[in-house]
mmCIF file of all heavy atoms in Angstrom:
data_model
loop_
_atom_site.group_PDB
_atom_site.id
_atom_site.type_symbol
_atom_site.label_atom_id
_atom_site.label_comp_id
_atom_site.label_asym_id
_atom_site.label_seq_id
_atom_site.Cartn_x
_atom_site.Cartn_y
_atom_site.Cartn_z
ATOM 1 N N LEU A 251 -1.190 9.270 18.498
ATOM 2 C CA LEU A 251 -0.269 10.353 18.606
ATOM 3 C C LEU A 251 -0.566 11.349 17.435
ATOM 4 O O LEU A 251 -0.792 10.912 16.287
ATOM 5 C CB LEU A 251 1.116 10.001 18.586
ATOM 6 C CG LEU A 251 1.700 9.094 19.776
ATOM 7 C CD1 LEU A 251 3.190 9.001 19.662
ATOM 8 C CD2 LEU A 251 1.221 9.704 21.111
ATOM 9 N N GLY A 252 -0.696 12.626 17.747
ATOM 10 C CA GLY A 252 -1.062 13.709 16.798
ATOM 11 C C GLY A 252 -2.613 13.958 16.977
ATOM 12 O O GLY A 252 -3.081 14.942 16.394
ATOM 13 N N CYS A 253 -3.253 13.262 17.742
ATOM 14 C CA CYS A 253 -4.644 13.622 18.096
ATOM 15 C C CYS A 253 -4.731 15.058 18.623
ATOM 16 O O CYS A 253 -3.931 15.543 19.474
ATOM 17 C CB CYS A 253 -5.165 12.696 19.191
ATOM 18 S SG CYS A 253 -6.848 13.000 19.792
ATOM 19 N N LYS A 254 -5.821 15.723 18.069
ATOM 20 C CA LYS A 254 -6.009 17.178 18.354
ATOM 21 C C LYS A 254 -6.868 17.270 19.699
ATOM 22 O O LYS A 254 -7.838 16.596 19.765
ATOM 23 C CB LYS A 254 -6.489 17.883 17.225
ATOM 24 C CG LYS A 254 -5.679 17.797 15.975
ATOM 25 C CD LYS A 254 -4.202 18.323 16.167
ATOM 26 C CE LYS A 254 -3.438 18.161 14.896
ATOM 27 N NZ LYS A 254 -3.147 16.820 14.381
ATOM 28 N N VAL A 255 -6.539 18.298 20.406
ATOM 29 C CA VAL A 255 -7.360 18.625 21.674
ATOM 30 C C VAL A 255 -7.581 20.156 21.792
ATOM 31 O O VAL A 255 -6.679 20.919 21.253
ATOM 32 C CB VAL A 255 -6.743 18.094 23.000
ATOM 33 C CG1 VAL A 255 -6.441 16.569 22.973
ATOM 34 C CG2 VAL A 255 -5.364 18.802 23.284
ATOM 35 N N LEU A 256 -8.698 20.479 22.221
ATOM 36 C CA LEU A 256 -8.966 21.939 22.511
ATOM 37 C C LEU A 256 -8.970 22.130 24.069
ATOM 38 O O LEU A 256 -9.761 21.467 24.762
ATOM 39 C CB LEU A 256 -10.314 22.334 21.957
ATOM 40 C CG LEU A 256 -10.417 22.874 20.505
ATOM 41 C CD1 LEU A 256 -11.794 23.079 20.085
ATOM 42 C CD2 LEU A 256 -9.491 24.118 20.309
ATOM 43 N N LEU A 257 -8.091 23.063 24.554
ATOM 44 C CA LEU A 257 -8.070 23.341 25.974
ATOM 45 C C LEU A 257 -8.976 24.630 26.042
ATOM 46 O O LEU A 257 -8.708 25.715 25.436
ATOM 47 C CB LEU A 257 -6.679 23.686 26.395
ATOM 48 C CG LEU A 257 -5.763 22.572 26.383
ATOM 49 C CD1 LEU A 257 -4.441 23.058 26.999
ATOM 50 C CD2 LEU A 257 -6.247 21.295 26.984
ATOM 51 N N LYS A 258 -10.059 24.435 26.906
ATOM 52 C CA LYS A 258 -11.086 25.510 26.975
ATOM 53 C C LYS A 258 -11.207 26.046 28.364
ATOM 54 O O LYS A 258 -12.180 25.727 29.138
ATOM 55 C CB LYS A 258 -12.448 25.105 26.486
ATOM 56 C CG LYS A 258 -12.331 24.565 24.935
ATOM 57 C CD LYS A 258 -13.691 24.208 24.400
ATOM 58 C CE LYS A 258 -14.406 22.991 25.035
ATOM 59 N NZ LYS A 258 -15.574 22.641 24.458
ATOM 60 N N GLY A 259 -10.089 26.690 28.937
ATOM 61 C CA GLY A 259 -10.060 27.195 30.304
ATOM 62 C C GLY A 259 -9.365 26.177 31.181
ATOM 63 O O GLY A 259 -9.708 26.192 32.343
ATOM 64 N N SER A 260 -8.573 25.313 30.711
ATOM 65 C CA SER A 260 -8.023 24.362 31.476
ATOM 66 C C SER A 260 -7.029 24.928 32.462
ATOM 67 O O SER A 260 -6.099 25.721 32.133
ATOM 68 C CB SER A 260 -7.259 23.191 30.660
ATOM 69 O OG SER A 260 -8.172 22.603 29.829
ATOM 70 N N GLU A 261 -7.041 24.541 33.670
ATOM 71 C CA GLU A 261 -6.155 25.095 34.726
ATOM 72 C C GLU A 261 -4.712 24.471 34.583
ATOM 73 O O GLU A 261 -4.554 23.243 34.315
ATOM 74 C CB GLU A 261 -6.759 24.744 36.149
ATOM 75 C CG GLU A 261 -5.936 25.301 37.246
ATOM 76 C CD GLU A 261 -6.534 24.987 38.676
ATOM 77 O OE1 GLU A 261 -7.515 24.278 38.751
ATOM 78 O OE2 GLU A 261 -5.775 25.427 39.639
ATOM 79 N N VAL A 262 -3.766 25.324 34.804
ATOM 80 C CA VAL A 262 -2.379 24.888 34.744
ATOM 81 C C VAL A 262 -1.751 25.295 36.102
ATOM 82 O O VAL A 262 -1.738 26.442 36.555
ATOM 83 C CB VAL A 262 -1.608 25.691 33.557
ATOM 84 C CG1 VAL A 262 -0.135 25.207 33.596
ATOM 85 C CG2 VAL A 262 -2.241 25.506 32.244
ATOM 86 N N ARG A 263 -1.094 24.308 36.679
ATOM 87 C CA ARG A 263 -0.493 24.468 37.963
ATOM 88 C C ARG A 263 0.934 24.045 37.854
ATOM 89 O O ARG A 263 1.182 22.845 37.474
ATOM 90 C CB ARG A 263 -1.226 23.701 39.161
ATOM 91 C CG ARG A 263 -2.585 24.139 39.525
ATOM 92 C CD ARG A 263 -3.140 23.314 40.626
ATOM 93 N NE ARG A 263 -4.512 23.598 40.967
ATOM 94 C CZ ARG A 263 -5.154 22.978 41.860
ATOM 95 N NH1 ARG A 263 -4.708 22.082 42.651
ATOM 96 N NH2 ARG A 263 -6.453 23.361 42.066
#
Side-chain angles (χ1 to χ4, degrees):
L251 295 192
C253 173
K254 304 303 185 290
V255 302
L256 270 178
L257 300 186
K258 302 188 293 186
S260 298
E261 184 179 358
V262 183
R263 293 183 186 176

